[in-house]
Amino acid sequence: MAQFEQNIEALIFASEQGIRMEEIMYCLQAALNTEIDESAVIKAISNVTKKYEADAFAIELVKINNGYQFLTKKVFHPVISQLQLQRSKKKLSQAALETLAIIAYKQPVTKLEVEQIRGVNCDYSIQKLLEKELITITGKAETVGKPLLYATSNLFADYMGINSLKDLPAMNELSDPANTIGNQQE
């Protein structure tokens, strides 16, 4: 049974993104050429999770976006933040973050709609978000010219550390009272 758990541990470790239960079961069934019971996989994942809770490990197994992924424990975040500072050139620019936020809250949305909200051209930001696979093209709008529609990708949830779009703050939580003009009436 330990080999079974090690196979699951290896799958999760080797996955660049969170790996879903269905993917784990498919890979195990294909590699081991046998039927796999989901409850056995759940028990094995639980055992692996418990194993990495020990202080001897700097990583832990977490469930994000309905998938399993190894992440650094929070106690090590200050050290990791130094690494992130060194690699900051790979971070998203303010313009890209603003564009991504608009797409996340308004999806599916056209580039023109994003530009109307931001008030500036968004070609570069959208291209960078597509390259980083944080957004995807979901189709074409039924308007004149059939512009492309953009939405967030599954990688977006991983990048933001959330399970679903429902975990994003509500729009009213984001508004700053300092940005309002005049008296607000209820």
Side-chain angles (χ1 to χ4, degrees), residues 107-154:
Q107 64 186 307
V109 64
T110 65
K111 183 174 76 73
L112 178 62
E113 291 170 320
V114 173
E115 289 174 344
Q116 287 174 339
I117 294 169
R118 286 202 64 231
V120 295
N121 184 300
C122 296
D123 289 339
Y124 183 78
S125 294
I126 287 179
Q127 185 60 38
K128 286 297 171 193
L129 292 171
L130 285 168
E131 286 174 12
K132 292 180 182 277
E133 298 178 356
L134 293 173
I135 62 171
T136 60
I137 298 170
T138 59
K140 294 186 177 190
E142 293 298 323
T143 59
V144 177
K146 303 252 188 219
L148 296 173
L149 289 170
Y150 299 96
T152 56
S153 67
N154 284 337

Side-chain angles (χ1 to χ4, degrees), residues 64-66 156-158 160-169:
I64 292 181
N65 194 25
N66 296 319
F156 168 78
D158 288 346
M160 299 305 284
I162 58 176
N163 283 313
S164 72
L165 292 174
K166 293 175 187 171
D167 293 340
L168 289 173

